Amino acid sequence: ESFLNHTAYLSCYFPNSHKTDIKDIIVFWQKGAVEVVHEVYYGQEKHDNLSPKYINRTKMDMDKWTLQLLNVGIVDEGQYTCIIQHRDKGSPKVIHTSECLLHIIANYSQPEIAWLHTGELKPNEYLNLSCSSSGGYPQPKQLTWLISHGNKTRRSMGHMDVSQDAVTKLYNVTSKLNTTVPINTPTNISCLLHLGEQLGSLVSVPLAI
């Protein structure tokens, strides 16, 4: 996993137990079946065959057998293959292959609650609110409203509208809440954006009514 616009580290997982000299091997990285990401021929980097989007964006650490992919974008997400060949009686022979799956993460903004109506609130009227968060990746799991009266909290699963920017591929999410205005009870309303098991959740500043 790598954060958007940061450096991703992709490992070849090559133990090099025979202590093979890098001047005797070819290291070849590709994405999917067709895109050439990086090539090292017998100790020298070779740039002739690289896919244009990887030019000047890769560095190979031959001590750790790790490729650095600079300034990663959403389009860089996917499966990468590392192939190592050894010079064997003149013709190269594959001695190691490994695959690596890259996931990109972009931080969502803190969810924000907004009023969707104007004028004074009256008891037992409906309260219309929206909650939104933007600029994140991957798509979040769900958005939950938390409505607290005193020591009780009620959860409401609002419908989540999701849109994706055609250029950046980042997601924006919005959810609406329609609930009655509480009478004589201080109420706090928050919204919680669930990003997934590993990424946790983001919560808005509570709205006090």
Side-chain angles (χ1 to χ4, degrees):
E1 291 184 338
S2 177
F3 281 99
L4 183 68
N5 301 327
H6 286 227
T7 299
Y9 295 87
L10 307 174
S11 179
C12 258
Y13 302 106
F14 180 52
N16 197 18
S17 48
H18 298 296
K19 300 286 183 281
T20 308
D21 192 321
I22 61 165
K23 292 186 173 60
D24 290 326
I25 61 172
I26 296 168
V27 182
F28 183 82
W29 278 95
Q30 67 182 46
K31 184 185 179 206
V34 291
E35 291 183 299
V36 179
V37 179
H38 195 86
E39 289 181 297
V40 181
Y41 265 69
Y42 306 122
Q44 298 294 315
E45 294 201 338
K46 190 177 172 189
H47 304 285
D48 309 356
N49 303 319
L50 298 190
S51 295
K53 70 180 184 186
Y54 295 108
I55 292 170
N56 298 326
R57 288 184 58 219
T58 56
K59 284 196 285 192
M60 184 78 190
D61 182 338
M62 298 300 283
D63 294 326
K64 295 178 182 169
W65 303 97
T66 298
L67 181 74
Q68 296 178 34
L69 181 56
L70 312 178
N71 194 29
V72 292
I74 306 298
V75 291
D76 293 318
E77 199 168 58
Q79 186 152 300
Y80 291 78
T81 306
C82 168
I83 300 163
I84 297 178
Q85 297 174 312
H86 182 246
R87 203 192 315 235
D88 183 43
K89 299 189 180 69
S91 60
K93 177 179 144 193
V94 174
I95 57 169
H96 178 80
T97 62
S98 66
E99 292 180 339
C100 201
L101 194 58
L102 177 62
H103 294 285
I104 305 299
I105 300 164
N107 286 326
Y108 281 86
S109 62
Q110 183 180 16
E112 280 188 24
I113 296 177
W115 298 85
L116 293 178
H117 55 81
T118 54
E120 196 179 335
L121 279 179
K122 298 191 176 80
N124 289 333
E125 273 191 344
Y126 274 93
L127 181 67
N128 291 310
L129 302 173
S130 79
C131 174
S132 54
S133 175
S134 60
Y137 193 91
Q139 187 172 333
K141 301 298 178 194
Q142 64 190 47
L143 196 149
T144 307
W145 290 89
L146 306 175
I147 303 156
S148 302
H149 312 275
N151 58 1
K152 288 184 182 171
T153 298
R154 176 165 65 86
R155 285 175 174 261
S156 174
M157 306 290 287
H159 170 71
M160 186 171 69
D161 287 316
V162 179
S163 62
Q164 187 176 26
D165 188 284
V167 178
T168 66
K169 306 298 181 192
L170 298 176
Y171 289 101
N172 300 322
V173 294
T174 305
S175 178
K176 291 180 180 159
L177 176 71
N178 192 315
T179 187
T180 51
V181 178
I183 303 171
N184 301 328
T185 311
T187 300
N188 278 326
I189 299 178
S190 308
C191 62
L192 188 67
L193 185 65
H194 303 268
L195 302 174
E197 282 178 30
Q198 291 178 308
L199 298 173
S201 304
L202 290 173
V203 66
S204 69
V205 173
L207 177 70
I209 300 167

